Amino acid sequence: MKLSARNQLNGKVTNVELGAVMANIKIEISEPNVITAVITKESAENLGLAEGDDVCAIIKSTEVIIGK
């Protein structure tokens, strides 16, 4: 897959939680780091996301917020 987005993190889905409208997807990117993607339930179902899937998390935000 070729994309122009530079902020890409490859990882493995470790948990899929489907809600009424949204889905929380936990992605292990480099042990023990995990990011959570909040996507629509429809998108999660269309992609057929399941634990153990290899995926690419593509960050489309133009901001990075750092807290200390």
Side-chain angles (χ1 to χ4, degrees), residues 1-21:
M1 168 176 51
K2 291 185 178 182
L3 299 170
S4 62
R6 295 180 182 264
N7 300 325
Q8 299 182 34
L9 302 169
N10 294 311
K12 186 175 296 284
V13 174
T14 59
N15 183 268
V16 176
E17 293 181 23
L18 299 177
V21 177

Side-chain angles (χ1 to χ4, degrees), residues 2-58:
K2 291 185 178 182
L3 299 170
S4 62
R6 295 180 182 264
N7 300 325
Q8 299 182 34
L9 302 169
N10 294 311
K12 186 175 296 284
V13 174
T14 59
N15 183 268
V16 176
E17 293 181 23
L18 299 177
V21 177
M22 301 299 289
N24 285 336
I25 312 301
K26 300 278 187 201
I27 303 169
E28 183 177 317
I29 54 172
S30 178
E31 222 173 322
N33 296 322
V34 175
I35 62 171
T36 299
V38 178
I39 64 174
T40 63
K41 178 181 178 182
E42 181 180 9
S43 292
E45 291 173 340
N46 286 342
L47 288 169
L49 293 175
E51 289 186 26
D53 286 351
D54 290 317
V55 296
C56 179
I58 302 163

